[in-house]
Amino acid sequence: MSSDPVKPITSKPEPRVPNRAVVWIAIGLVCLSVIWGLRPPSPQETPSKTMAVPITPDKVPLVTGEESFSDLFTQAGCAVCHVIPGIPGADGQVGPPLILGTTGPQRLKDSAYRGEARTVHDYIVESVLDPQRFVVPGYPDHTMPTWYGSKLSALALEKIAAYLEQQVGEN
Ligand code: HEC
């Protein structure tokens, strides 16, 4: 083929006939990429279905209400899903920021509100014990756990409501 070693000086560059090795390398690369594409997904790549609800009742201890506010919200798991002013590490984005001093009155006035609370304090208690009563618009339904009634003592619930109704901020 074009392997004539004696080339006239004036000749044009060799015609671009792909040489066999190049063809085989290309075929090899295609095969490799097909095999790569067909390999079973590794566990890290499969998105975890439990990511939206990272917290289950067995992970939450009984909360007595004797804890500090910080421990109370952290142990109950609220901090995983909510921003709570003044609580270190409470930066969850799953639910609304717990600034009920600001948002509580808005919820009670909301025409879609069908709960029984008349005060922000009671609205907080209701939201924790029966979250399906009123699902805050723009946030996922069936996500806030419904089992807090069996994890929080009456004192813990009182402290939660008393703390959250004081919190204000940008909505
Ligand atoms: C797995 C995530 C998750 C956890 C854990 C969680 N929440 Fe929520 N929470 C949500 C979501 C989502 C909403 C909004 C939808 C709704 O109203 O149900 C919400 C709504 C609320 C509301 C109503 C807020 C508003 O602006 O009207 C309150 C109050 C509340 N949560 C308090 C708590 C407290 C207190 C805890 C811990 C004892 C807690 N949440 C734990 C996800 C969570």
Side-chain angles (χ1 to χ4, degrees):
M1 290 208 317
S2 60
S3 54
D4 182 2
V6 189
K7 285 188 232 157
I9 312 243
T10 54
S11 81
K12 293 181 192 145
E14 274 188 35
R16 290 178 172 255
V17 183
N19 111 14
R20 291 225 169 144
V22 173
V23 172
W24 282 112
I25 289 171
I27 291 173
L29 283 177
V30 169
C31 289
L32 270 181
S33 63
V34 168
I35 291 166
W36 182 255
L38 289 178
R39 82 201 190 288
S42 69
Q44 292 102 316
E45 279 171 301
T46 359
S48 154
K49 288 202 180 82
T50 54
M51 227 154 65
V53 186
I55 164 170
T56 49
D58 54 299
K59 296 212 185 98
V60 174
L62 271 180
V63 181
T64 64
E66 304 295 337
E67 303 83 356
S68 67
F69 280 113
S70 173
D71 285 351
L72 204 162
F73 287 112
T74 308
Q75 281 176 24
C78 322
V80 175
C81 291
H82 291 284
V83 167
I84 310 172
I87 306 299
D91 54 4
Q93 301 292 324
V94 180
L98 297 183
I99 42 170
L100 276 296
T102 302
T103 51
Q106 299 169 5
R107 308 293 185 240
L108 293 173
K109 268 189 254 150
D110 195 311
S111 58
Y113 178 66
R114 297 279 177 273
E116 273 157 28
R118 294 287 167 268
T119 63
V120 171
H121 192 94
D122 288 352
Y123 170 73
I124 296 169
V125 172
E126 186 181 76
S127 297
V128 174
L129 296 181
D130 188 8
Q132 288 303 118
R133 261 309 171 89
F134 177 72
V135 177
V136 179
Y139 290 92
D141 202 354
H142 298 286
T143 301
M144 164 106 185
T146 51
W147 37 257
Y148 274 124
S150 63
K151 288 291 179 181
L152 303 172
S153 73
L155 176 62
L157 199 53
E158 268 309 298
K159 282 179 85 175
I160 286 174
Y163 184 87
L164 295 181
E165 68 182 336
Q166 306 288 327
Q167 306 308 315
V168 293
E170 288 267 320
N171 188 8

